[in-house]
Amino acid sequence: MKNILNIIEKRVLATLTGGLLLLSSCGYLDVVPPEQPGLGDATKDYETTLGFLYSCYAGIRMPMTYSGVESGADEWALPPLWNEGHHGIVYNNQTPTSLSGGWTWGSLYQFAGQCYLFLDKLKEAQDVTEEQKAEFRAETDFLLAYYHYQTLVMYGPCPILDGFVPMNAPSTDFPGRSHFDYVVDYIVDKLDKAAETLPADRDQEKWGRATSTMAKALKARLLVYAASPLWNGSFPYPEWRNTNFETPGYGTELVSHSYDPKKWERARAACEDALNHALSHGFALYDDLELYERERIALPYIPGLDTSTPEGKEFQKRVMLMRYLVTTRVGDGNKEIIFPHPNNGDMVIGSMPHSFMKLNNGSDFGGYSGVSPLLSTTASYFYTASGKRPAEDPEFTPENQWFASAGLRGREDIVKFNVGREPRFYAWLAFDGGDFSNSLMDGKPIKLRLRDRETHGMNLNKTPRDNNVTGFMSQKFIVPKLSINRSGSWLNNQSKPRPLIRLAELYLNLAECEAALGQNDKAIAHLNVIRERAGVPDLTTSDINNPLSMTDWVRNERFIELWGEGHRYYDIRRWMIAPETMAEGKRTGLNALEKENPSFEDYNKVVPINQPYVWTSRMYLRPVFKNEVYKNGHNMVQAPGY
């Protein structure tokens, strides 16, 4: 049997024996597809039943793209001419009449409908034991929880569809939005039920199918979100409520407007349970420091690092460790990824510098050079080698000298800001004068020349749309041994999963709860597990409120460790800190787009990103397409501000 990740990758909507199980509508009012010819064959034996189940998995979303919902955060900028979903979100251009920018409401309810259809047909399945049916039902419970979870955290209070709704039912019979806390409880119940039956882990052949560890981890994340300020007393639209539809026990209210510390206690218990469950069943932080050697890859160049010492070589190994962390799977010995997604996404080619190699036929080969980490957050939040933000590290280069040349022989373009940083900075980011990747250029790293129009710099004639925006580049998710040869062929371009949930998040979730509850010693201990793996000095009690609070340390560690993995969109909203980093004029970078072939001094100026960014409170939630509200106008209300 093929690995489920490979199967799902090929079945965005599964083709089953006897007919297509395609969901034709785009809305939650049409959750149950009409009976189709040959649908009875979908459960005629074990293999076809399993294939039907796999079709229910196909709605699991890939959050690491530059066109999807999660791109609307403060981690990176994109070239303005791309006009991606990212831009629609961060420019506040999303409206109830537009489906751009990662519209997901309809597809999430469609796949919930696929799950209900599967459960109905599972009763007729042939050559499937009762034990197997029980496991399939548990997997479907997990998926129903997941699809409702995704809807809830993006759109806020949402309808609960807990079973079949007849296709000929009047619109008044379709539910409206349920209270946020009520939906949370519904999802938690589904996940608890699934966890009772599902195995804790899967072998490589079944890796990607639901497990009890996935269920507990998703529950923990949801409860942390529910305890956060946006949903725990600080929602900015206190008058928003249903007009007609009522939630049992809540009436027409949609969001609780008073703070409840018990939500943090509930979340802490779930986080502790999820972490202990994962650890007791063999999950572990990825720690293979020697894979680079087995793959015969040279250790990376680190500016200013003395690699002749054991400490220097250990640092290089940590950089490689963090690159492998997000580009390996369970078969490679990676036991950290709890919930994988099969798709590489579109950020790899979008991140690569353009014109980095001449092919045998004389043409240039390169990427789009567009995924541009921000200076104001990303490059400034990643730690120094001392484990502090650059602006708050007294041992680091003074801020007024950050963008002066570090004076490295043969690497004069490297500025002091990019010297003396932590391993994750060098693992996942890149900058002028430094190296990009390990093997991409015919087995060698690319030495970046971001001021040179003939190679990686801005060239409006050759690449008018594809130019780096901030002076920093992302190399996260680039497989270390990926290479392009002189014929233009991709070598070692394995399909690698993306981590939807990994063990590090479980430590960070628990630390966040402990910080919220004033349990600083416990929070520090859990943060230090993550810091030690990354090669960063331990946090101590003397670091708290000097100047970052315990909560700020947790948030900063989360920003770094989970950078680019789809979390930040939700984090800045649930913490209600988006105005601090998302508003007009907040995003900065280097002066990468001023002119072609700029001088060193011109290039290394800090400037606001020249794009029409804006933040308003309505951006905490996404709008529902107008047709959804119109079709169910009796019960459905629009998100506030739209």
Side-chain angles (χ1 to χ4, degrees):
M1 186 185 299
K2 295 181 180 179
N3 187 295
I4 183 177
L5 292 181
N6 296 325
I7 295 173
I8 294 173
E9 192 169 14
K10 296 175 182 177
R11 295 183 187 219
V12 175
L13 282 172
T15 301
L16 300 180
T17 303
L20 286 174
L21 289 178
L22 293 179
L23 301 172
S24 58
S25 73
C26 69
Y28 84 104
L29 295 185
D30 304 298
V31 290
V32 182
E35 192 74 18
Q36 299 171 37
L39 190 56
D41 290 338
T43 55
K44 68 178 182 180
D45 56 31
Y46 177 83
E47 289 299 327
T48 55
T49 303
L50 184 63
F52 196 166
L53 173 64
Y54 284 172
S55 76
C56 298
Y57 277 90
I60 294 176
R61 298 182 54 260
M62 167 63 174
M64 286 149 269
T65 72
Y66 42 68
S67 58
V69 177
E70 289 80 4
S71 67
D74 60 354
E75 295 170 301
W76 33 265
L78 295 178
L81 293 180
W82 282 16
N83 195 27
E84 287 284 348
H86 161 85
H87 295 102
I89 296 171
V90 296
Y91 296 170
N92 190 27
N93 287 340
Q94 298 214 301
T95 70
T97 61
S98 172
L99 296 183
S100 63
W103 168 255
T104 57
W105 175 281
S107 64
L108 290 167
Y109 280 112
Q110 285 178 349
F111 280 103
Q114 185 84 335
C115 291
Y116 294 132
L117 185 58
F118 171 75
L119 288 173
D120 183 58
K121 296 301 177 182
L122 181 61
K123 294 176 288 189
E124 306 167 7
Q126 304 298 308
D127 300 322
V128 181
T129 67
E130 289 304 315
E131 183 178 2
Q132 289 167 336
K133 287 182 180 180
E135 182 177 1
F136 290 174
R137 282 191 290 269
E139 290 181 68
T140 311
D141 277 332
F142 172 83
L143 292 170
L144 285 168
Y146 167 83
Y147 294 133
H148 281 85
Y149 154 81
Q150 283 287 346
T151 309
L152 181 68
V153 298
M154 280 189 280
Y155 296 93
C158 63
I160 292 175
L161 294 171
D162 195 13
F164 282 111
V165 178
M167 292 296 294
N168 59 355
S171 62
T172 53
D173 287 355
F174 287 88
R177 296 178 187 260
S178 287
H179 191 283
F180 185 92
D181 294 345
Y182 190 83
V183 183
V184 168
D185 289 342
Y186 165 80
I187 296 170
V188 166
D189 286 344
K190 285 285 185 186
L191 293 171
D192 284 344
K193 183 180 176 183
E196 292 174 359
T197 300
L198 293 172
D201 197 8
R202 302 277 190 180
D203 58 28
Q204 186 174 359
E205 184 181 81
K206 298 180 180 179
W207 196 51
R209 286 174 60 179
T211 65
S212 58
T213 310
M214 289 163 59
K216 288 176 178 289
L218 187 62
K219 170 185 173 180
R221 179 194 290 179
L222 173 61
L223 291 178
V224 170
Y225 283 17
S228 301
L230 182 64
W231 304 116
N232 195 4
S234 299
F235 190 74
Y237 293 93
E239 302 304 318
W240 186 49
R241 58 197 307 126
N242 280 324
T243 303
N244 297 307
F245 187 78
E246 295 190 8
T247 307
Y250 294 93
T252 59
E253 185 180 74
L254 287 170
V255 179
S256 298
H257 298 289
S258 59
Y259 174 73
D260 183 359
K262 292 181 181 178
K263 290 184 177 181
W264 282 114
E265 289 285 2
R266 185 186 187 192
R268 187 205 61 77
C271 289
E272 191 170 60
D273 179 49
L275 179 59
N276 290 338
H277 185 80
L279 293 175
S280 66
H281 288 93
F283 289 91
L285 294 180
Y286 182 72
D287 64 354
D288 189 345
L289 288 169
E290 309 300 333
L291 182 55
Y292 79 95
E293 191 167 31
R294 298 195 300 276
E295 292 195 335
R296 299 180 181 179
I297 294 176
L299 288 171
Y301 169 75
I302 309 297
L305 181 69
D306 183 358
T307 59
S308 67
T309 66
E311 293 79 11
K313 189 169 184 179
E314 169 80 9
F315 191 102
Q316 289 177 294
K317 289 183 177 182
R318 290 284 164 188
V319 172
M320 289 302 300
L321 170 73
M322 301 312 294
R323 289 182 182 175
Y324 279 120
L325 165 61
V326 292
T327 58
T328 50
R329 61 174 69 221
V330 67
D332 304 312
N334 189 336
K335 290 290 292 179
E336 177 161 348
I337 299 178
I338 292 170
F339 188 178
H341 191 283
N343 193 348
N344 278 321
D346 51 15
M347 289 183 66
V348 175
I349 189 68
S351 298
M352 292 178 181
H354 45 62
S355 301
F356 63 77
M357 191 169 64
K358 286 285 185 183
L359 301 182
N360 291 333
N361 62 10
S363 64
D364 285 332
F365 189 98
Y368 305 146
S369 195
V371 180
S372 308
L374 295 176
L375 169 61
S376 48
T377 50
T378 296
S380 297
Y381 285 13
F382 275 71
Y383 297 138
T384 67
S386 300
K388 298 178 173 63
R389 285 181 178 177
E392 292 141 8
D393 185 353
E395 300 177 6
F396 193 63
T397 300
E399 192 166 351
N400 62 1
Q401 300 177 34
W402 278 0
F403 298 103
S405 173
L408 301 175
R409 186 175 180 180
R411 302 271 187 166
E412 288 79 8
D413 284 338
I414 295 178
V415 297
K416 293 180 180 180
F417 181 74
N418 297 329
V419 178
R421 306 300 295 272
E422 62 148 307
R424 290 173 294 191
F425 181 86
Y426 299 112
W428 297 335
L429 306 184
F431 42 82
D432 193 25
D435 281 358
F436 187 96
S437 87
N438 294 86
S439 307
L440 197 56
M441 191 173 63
D442 199 19
K444 299 177 182 178
I446 303 164
K447 183 179 178 181
L448 288 176
R449 300 166 62 189
L450 295 178
R451 294 191 293 114
D452 181 4
R453 72 185 301 274
E454 299 305 321
T455 53
H456 317 132
M458 182 175 71
N459 186 320
L460 296 180
N461 289 326
K462 187 164 58 174
T463 54
R465 297 180 71 254
D466 303 332
N467 291 292
N468 183 270
V469 177
T470 66
F472 293 90
M473 301 191 73
S474 168
Q475 52 185 326
K476 196 168 186 177
F477 308 121
I478 305 258
V479 176
K481 64 180 180 180
L482 175 62
S483 180
I484 314 297
N485 67 19
R486 297 290 173 177
S487 299
S489 299
W490 295 65
L491 307 178
N492 303 312
N493 187 28
Q494 312 103 315
S495 177
K496 295 296 183 180
R498 291 288 182 265
L500 300 183
I501 301 178
R502 57 185 175 93
L503 188 65
E505 183 198 339
L506 272 58
Y507 282 102
L508 293 166
N509 288 344
L510 182 53
E512 184 173 343
C513 295
E514 291 163 342
L517 294 169
Q519 301 169 356
N520 286 1
D521 288 346
K522 292 181 178 180
I524 289 171
H526 288 121
L527 289 189
N528 283 339
V529 174
I530 303 302
R531 292 168 69 96
E532 288 167 10
R533 192 270 297 276
V536 175
D538 280 356
L539 193 67
T540 66
T541 54
S542 63
D543 293 317
I544 310 306
N545 299 320
N546 188 25
L548 297 184
S549 68
M550 187 72 251
T551 293
D552 287 336
W553 277 112
V554 170
R555 291 177 177 180
N556 204 86
E557 193 68 46
R558 184 180 181 91
F559 180 91
I560 299 170
E561 178 69 21
L562 302 178
W563 185 85
E565 296 181 30
H567 296 265
R568 185 68 175 175
Y569 175 92
Y570 305 103
D571 287 346
I572 58 176
R573 286 164 171 79
R574 66 186 178 88
W575 294 332
M576 302 186 76
I577 63 169
E580 300 170 19
T581 60
M582 296 276 285
E584 180 182 0
K586 295 293 186 179
R587 295 169 174 84
T588 65
L590 298 183
N591 201 20
L593 296 181
E594 185 203 18
K595 58 185 176 182
E596 298 178 358
N597 288 337
S599 68
F600 176 89
E601 290 74 20
D602 283 341
Y603 184 86
N604 285 290
K605 291 178 182 177
V606 178
V607 295
I609 306 302
N610 186 22
Q611 295 186 38
Y613 297 118
V614 66
W615 175 264
T616 70
S617 290
R618 79 174 191 170
M619 295 167 72
Y620 283 114
L621 299 183
R622 308 192 68 226
V624 176
F625 186 41
K626 66 173 184 177
N627 287 2
E628 295 298 325
V629 179
Y630 175 76
K631 285 189 293 184
N632 189 15
H634 180 77
N635 285 330
M636 190 67 185
V637 293
Q638 183 58 269
Y642 293 98

